[in-house]
Amino acid sequence: MPDIGNPIGFDLATVLTGSGLTLLLSAAIGEYGAQFQYSVSELYGMAGAVFVAVGVIFGLILVATGNR
């Protein structure tokens, strides 16, 4: 029986959680972005870079521990 959480090759819960975090961060930047010394586009860029870095590090940890 197939795993309903992984129907098309990726973890659906992970994608939904990541999308939700991205939307929350986007809303926060839109609402409070003017209060920082960086422009809104710079804040988006930094947030994206952090998400990519965390994802790569987490992926490498999973590979190193034999979970993927």
Side-chain angles (χ1 to χ4, degrees):
M1 175 174 244
D3 180 9
I4 191 65
N6 190 6
I8 51 179
F10 58 87
D11 186 10
L12 194 56
T14 303
V15 170
L16 292 175
T17 303
S19 298
L21 285 173
T22 302
L23 288 172
L24 286 172
L25 185 63
S26 296
I29 289 172
E31 185 69 22
Y32 303 108
Q35 296 178 7
F36 296 102
Q37 66 182 1
Y38 301 105
S39 70
V40 172
S41 60
E42 290 172 331
L43 289 172
Y44 279 125
M46 287 185 280
V50 168
F51 277 137
V52 168
V54 169
V56 168
I57 291 168
F58 183 63
L60 290 173
I61 290 170
L62 288 176
V63 170
T65 59
N67 290 317
R68 291 281 172 187

